[in-house]
Amino acid sequence: MKMENLPVNSLSLDFLTEFLISLEKLENDRGCRGVILTSGAPKIFSAGLDIMEMYGKSAEHYAEFWKAVQEMWLRLYQSNMVTIAAINGSSPAGGCLMAMCCDYRIMAENPKYSIGLNETQLGIVAPFWFKDTMVNTIGNRATERSLELGLLYSPPEAHKIGLVDQLVPEEKIQSMAAAVMSQWLAIPDHARQITKSMMRKPTVDRLLTHRESDIQNFVSFITKDSIQKSLQMYMEMLKQRRG
Ligand code: CO8
């Protein structure tokens, strides 16, 4: 699956809806056993959640948007298919979450790219299931530090802490993803799927149990004046940085 919501593959409500439909089609296709998730946007895997979906909108809109974000996570994290992220660009916040949902992460060795959950840098807080996903990937201590400081890691740093499994020269990323896919597909599907579910179910169940309250938390948090102001300032900073 090549994501292409230019310029930066931000996860808008429309994009998430399309993503979910595409994923479901593949999930229901008996001939499809694995998916390589990558980007068609130059230099960006995904810029994460579309900030415009979290700014200046109604409470109903925020609730609908958040439900779609939850759904993306639930479907991707629990996919029966082998999922490999070929991270061919920067991958902050929601982009990092998508990559962490996959079974294996390969990142291009480009020093300009970065990956991490940088929410605190925007003045917002990653919800518990973002945190859980990161804990499951890199452990408790590295997650605590990453989340509090909103760290974005270079490819070698991300590899060192286990946030990505492998680095490759940019031009080799798709062929390497295909080679890794063959290794994973050599394992009988049912055994791999049951094992994946055993590893991930407790994390998934936690969100399923608290899904409604998580939506309410998001809406009451994001509608706060101080949070709206933080997001506005962050967007202005992005524009100024570009000059
Ligand atoms: N959402 C919406 N628009 C975005 C986003 C985004 N996430 N990222 C970039 N854009 C826009 C820019 O504003 C710019 O718009 P315009 O052309 O109108 O000025 C355009 O995309 C291109 O951006 P840049 O010029 O910055 O492009 P670069 O190639 O220089 O940089 C980056 C690309 C690295 C992706 C950079 O844009 C960036 O760092 N973006 C911000 C990424 C980010 O911090 N995302 C976090 C989103 S929050 C999230 O995913 C999780 C939230 C969890 C919820 C918390 C509960 C409250």
Side-chain angles (χ1 to χ4, degrees):
M1 275 175 85
K2 194 179 261 190
M3 299 184 282
E4 218 170 281
N5 184 25
L6 300 175
V8 294
N9 279 342
S10 61
L11 307 175
S12 62
L13 182 54
D14 284 351
F15 181 75
L16 285 168
T17 307
E18 254 192 68
F19 178 85
L20 283 166
I21 292 169
S22 306
L23 189 67
E24 193 172 357
K25 270 193 197 147
L26 295 177
E27 202 79 60
N28 292 334
D29 177 349
R30 285 186 154 265
C32 180
R33 299 171 58 217
V35 168
I36 295 169
L37 185 61
T38 193
S39 165
K43 302 187 185 73
I44 318 285
F45 179 72
S46 164
L49 303 191
D50 192 317
I51 298 169
M52 300 314 290
E53 300 281 14
M54 301 188 282
Y55 180 74
K57 304 279 193 302
S58 67
E60 291 71 31
H61 180 88
Y62 294 139
E64 192 189 356
F65 176 61
W66 198 246
K67 206 170 171 196
V69 178
Q70 289 179 333
E71 200 60 34
M72 177 274 286
W73 179 80
L74 286 165
R75 299 275 183 88
L76 196 55
Y77 201 56
Q78 298 184 93
S79 174
N80 271 323
M81 296 179 286
V82 174
T83 50
I84 293 178
I87 309 165
N88 52 348
S90 286
S91 197
C96 175
L97 181 75
M98 269 186 144
M100 288 192 298
C101 285
C102 293
D103 295 305
Y104 196 84
R105 284 159 288 287
I106 304 169
M107 188 169 190
E109 257 170 351
N110 185 328
K112 291 196 175 132
Y113 299 164
S114 63
I115 183 166
L117 293 182
N118 61 324
E119 278 79 356
T120 54
Q121 289 194 35
L122 286 74
I124 57 180
V125 180
F128 71 87
W129 41 285
F130 281 48
K131 179 265 295 172
D132 288 345
T133 311
M134 189 172 239
V135 168
N136 293 350
T137 310
I138 62 171
N140 203 79
R141 171 62 192 139
T143 299
E144 184 172 71
R145 186 167 165 268
S146 298
L147 288 183
E148 287 194 33
L149 298 174
L151 293 177
L152 286 171
Y153 294 98
S154 68
E157 290 166 340
H159 186 232
K160 193 171 168 208
I161 62 166
L163 186 53
V164 299
D165 296 297
Q166 192 174 350
L167 300 180
V168 288
E170 187 139 21
E171 66 279 7
K172 298 229 171 87
I173 193 163
Q174 302 305 335
S175 58
M176 183 54 77
V180 171
M181 181 61 83
S182 311
Q183 290 166 4
W184 282 69
L185 290 180
I187 304 297
D189 281 340
H190 69 281
R192 183 191 49 74
Q193 286 161 356
I194 293 168
T195 306
K196 180 169 178 174
S197 168
M198 177 176 70
M199 294 299 293
R200 299 189 171 194
K201 194 171 178 298
T203 308
V204 167
D205 285 349
R206 218 168 143 222
L207 177 60
L208 291 177
T209 312
H210 300 288
R211 197 165 178 184
E212 267 315 306
S213 60
D214 182 61
I215 294 176
Q216 281 159 25
N217 282 345
F218 173 75
V219 173
S220 66
F221 183 77
I222 212 75
T223 46
K224 280 188 179 41
D225 286 345
S226 57
I227 301 304
Q228 289 287 301
K229 186 86 196 142
S230 292
L231 289 176
Q232 187 191 358
M233 280 162 51
Y234 186 74
M235 283 187 297
E236 280 165 11
M237 182 278 289
L238 280 181
K239 285 204 193 311
Q240 275 167 14
R241 201 191 50 174
R242 208 171 49 160

